[in-house]
Amino acid sequence: MTPDAASANQSARAVALRLSAATLAIAIAALGATLTPSRAGAQEATVQRPNVSHQRVVTKPPSEVSWRFTTRNLRQIKLRLRSARCSSRAELILDGRSLERVAVPKGRKTIGVKAFRDPGTHKLQLSVRPGGACRRARVTVYPPQIKEWIPIGAAIWSRHLSADPAFGDLVANEFDFVVPENDMKWAYLQPRRGVFDFTLGDRVVDFARSRGIDVGMGHVLVWHVQNPGWLWQRDPANPDATNPWTREELIEVMREHITTVVRHYRGAVPEWDVVNEAITENGSYRKNIWYRVIGPDYIELAFRFAHQADPDARLYYNDYGTETANNPHSDAVYRLLSELRAKGVPVHGVGFQTHVFPHLTGVPTAEAVSANFRRYADLGLRLQITELDVAIPGSMPKTPAAYEFQAGIYRDVARACQRQPACERFTTWGATDRYSWLTKSAAGLPFDPQLQPKPAWTAILDVLRPRGRP
Ligand code: GLA
């Protein structure tokens, strides 16, 4: 937690992607527009109206430039134009949908448009034509600036929403998205074999929709905890099991669950924790029911089933204790993900739970987390902080200094996410110490039991929302 000047600079810096002039040149060349390279990476497109009388409808398509870019959550697009000789008209189109139409007077013009999109690859098009009575306009188009943001989310349990409206207000007013802390676990979604109950999971989705915030990660498709009793009844590890699952049966059970759940939430839940905690702290496979009955390929199968059910969903592997490298758990997860990626398994991202118990797990510094994040990003994976909380040790009095100490850890984790372009979301495992899987006395979350912000919340905002909520 040493102050880190480099990362402070980083957090102050606007997160912007400058698209290369080369991309632009290729795009324009493909479209056959007249192009002359200009200074400072700008490109010049000559837009010429066909030689027709002013009364005639212009039928020839206007000149168009386009860019493809991959970004984490898109927040704003800025584009600078210079129209020489004459005015022009421009239309900005994102992924085929018109974003903005503007008149560009002779001279310079900046177009700034808010455009919120999930992480992914987008196509931006600029269509330009001469304005007014002009027959020719000479328009210089500078490379666009793409501004990104990292949304901040909280895990919530639907039961608290109905019982405690002030809690719902806090979440909706302060956070950008929610994830279901418990409501989409097997025990709730499939309490009896083949009988699915989406009541509670739907409540989380409905809450987000009605309050104008997003739903983040669906949690969780395959795990070893909070499973229904009927799975255990036929678990070969259960001494009372009379008819233990066969591999084929359990694959089918897993396939049916994943398919039904992911299809139900298609369009509402953009990403899933597909497999949670498959590796143990000593780096071996966790010998859970899935591993024991199916074998290690249950992991690969789970991702394939989820991908079939919703090819648009981003699919994550999620685990704890993996925020920093050089421990058997973290390194084994890294190896697992390298292998899955090399095999072409549809795993798109890795979730770092980041449950910090400073007295047990040590304190993850921004530098150590960043270095670890880099190797995962190099695998082509998306990254998220998925379950952050920081327990204050029972032995530590809850003094202002203790809350500052806690805030320092939150700040470092946020910085590591902010400085890594592949890190897309930042989730705390709960919002307030009023409701936390940690005991109240651990006081691990950014809002206190009275729903007041703690220094941890200020630290998160300083790093991830330096200019306020978008
Ligand atoms: C893990 C799980 C979560 C949550 C916490 C606390 O981190 O991924 O679903 O239950 O444990 O129990």
Side-chain angles (χ1 to χ4, degrees):
M1 289 202 304
T2 35
D4 175 353
S7 71
N9 284 341
Q10 177 87 14
S11 63
R13 179 174 65 83
V15 183
L17 262 180
R18 285 187 180 274
L19 294 162
S20 73
T23 317
L24 177 57
I26 291 163
I28 296 178
L31 287 157
T34 317
L35 230 199
T36 342
S38 171
R39 64 193 145 80
Q43 297 290 325
E44 198 170 78
T46 302
V47 185
Q48 186 160 10
R49 177 174 279 181
N51 191 12
V52 293
S53 80
H54 294 310
Q55 286 75 33
R56 293 260 312 268
V57 178
V58 177
T59 53
K60 217 170 167 189
S63 286
E64 190 178 281
V65 291
S66 67
W67 304 264
R68 253 184 199 287
F69 59 90
T70 300
T71 172
R72 55 183 166 187
N73 308 274
L74 179 60
R75 173 182 172 166
Q76 194 190 24
I77 297 170
K78 263 193 174 179
L79 199 62
R80 277 198 307 132
L81 308 175
R82 190 159 52 85
S83 204
R85 292 189 190 166
C86 202
S87 69
S88 58
R89 303 189 65 76
E91 183 178 8
L92 203 57
I93 301 155
L94 183 64
D95 299 330
R97 295 223 314 266
S98 181
L99 266 188
E100 185 99 331
R101 284 196 169 91
V102 286
V104 185
K106 198 173 146 197
R108 290 178 187 281
K109 170 89 181 171
T110 301
I111 310 175
V113 197
K114 282 202 168 171
F116 294 98
R117 294 284 190 284
D118 281 350
T121 299
H122 303 280
K123 184 179 182 191
L124 181 68
Q125 293 158 273
L126 180 79
S127 164
V128 205
R129 62 194 165 96
C134 297
R135 289 179 57 200
R136 279 170 70 88
R138 204 174 163 75
V139 180
T140 306
V141 184
Y142 295 85
Q145 275 192 354
I146 307 298
K147 292 201 172 174
E148 308 171 312
W149 65 306
I150 299 173
I152 305 168
I156 58 167
W157 198 349
S158 66
R159 63 167 62 163
H160 300 137
L161 292 174
S162 36
D164 186 351
F167 169 70
D169 289 346
L170 170 81
V171 171
N173 293 338
E174 302 295 341
F175 291 84
D176 303 307
F177 67 93
V178 288
V179 305
E181 182 174 354
N182 290 300
D183 299 301
M184 292 188 193
K185 290 174 177 168
W186 275 67
Y188 295 96
L189 289 185
Q190 198 182 166
R192 284 180 291 138
R193 170 84 181 99
V195 178
F196 287 84
D197 182 352
F198 293 107
T199 316
L200 300 180
D202 289 358
R203 249 177 229 165
V204 175
V205 173
D206 292 345
F207 166 77
R209 283 193 175 144
S210 69
R211 304 300 295 264
I213 57 175
D214 290 336
V215 179
M217 194 76 82
H219 178 83
V220 47
L221 296 175
V222 181
W223 195 28
H224 62 286
V225 185
Q226 293 183 265
N227 285 329
W230 58 265
L231 263 182
W232 168 244
Q233 272 161 25
R234 294 183 55 192
D235 187 331
N238 177 355
D240 299 328
T242 47
N243 179 22
W245 299 110
T246 64
R247 172 178 151 91
E248 285 65 35
E249 282 172 335
L250 202 60
I251 289 176
E252 180 49 23
V253 165
M254 188 175 79
R255 192 199 61 75
E256 188 191 6
H257 183 88
I258 292 175
T259 306
T260 309
V261 171
V262 172
R263 282 210 184 127
H264 177 84
Y265 287 112
R266 199 172 167 172
V269 172
E271 52 204 11
W272 285 95
D273 278 333
V274 178
V275 176
N276 194 26
E277 303 178 352
I279 302 292
T280 65
E281 283 155 46
N282 68 16
S284 64
Y285 281 107
R286 188 180 298 283
K287 310 296 182 292
N288 58 24
I289 181 172
W290 314 107
Y291 181 92
R292 281 185 274 105
V293 179
I294 299 174
D297 59 335
Y298 83 86
I299 298 171
E300 173 177 343
L301 288 168
F303 279 99
R304 294 198 191 280
F305 294 150
H307 187 59
Q308 276 159 18
D310 181 359
D312 297 326
R314 301 180 289 275
L315 306 181
Y316 276 71
Y317 175 84
N318 192 48
D319 215 324
Y320 66 90
T322 48
E323 300 78 48
T324 54
N326 303 322
N327 71 70
H329 193 178
S330 177
D331 295 345
V333 168
Y334 175 77
R335 278 195 302 277
L336 169 68
L337 287 167
S338 312
E339 284 163 23
L340 293 174
R341 294 285 293 175
K343 277 173 90 174
V345 176
V347 49
H348 309 124
V350 52
F352 300 90
Q353 292 185 5
T354 327
H355 294 293
V356 182
F357 300 87
H359 49 310
L360 298 173
T361 58
V363 170
T365 63
E367 293 70 26
V369 177
S370 290
N372 188 42
F373 277 9
R374 219 169 293 130
R375 64 177 180 160
Y376 283 96
D378 287 347
L379 292 178
L381 289 165
R382 300 158 180 273
L383 276 54
Q384 289 194 23
I385 304 294
T386 49
E387 306 186 13
L388 178 61
D389 46 27
V390 180
I392 295 183
S395 57
M396 194 184 263
K398 305 290 177 299
T399 58
Y403 290 117
E404 287 302 332
F405 166 77
Q406 179 183 54
I409 299 172
Y410 270 95
R411 182 176 292 109
D412 269 14
V413 176
R415 277 179 179 163
C417 184
Q418 196 261 354
R419 64 164 63 154
Q420 169 50 252
C423 188
E424 295 178 347
R425 284 188 202 262
F426 183 93
T427 309
T428 55
W429 206 237
T432 155
D433 296 331
R434 186 182 287 189
Y435 308 117
S436 166
W437 74 286
L438 300 167
T439 59
K440 250 194 197 110
S441 68
L445 288 167
F447 288 84
D448 72 15
Q450 286 71 47
L451 311 183
Q452 295 307 306
K454 291 155 63 176
W457 185 243
T458 313
I460 295 171
L461 299 189
D462 281 352
V463 178
L464 299 182
R465 283 188 201 152
R467 279 170 299 288
R469 199 169 175 184

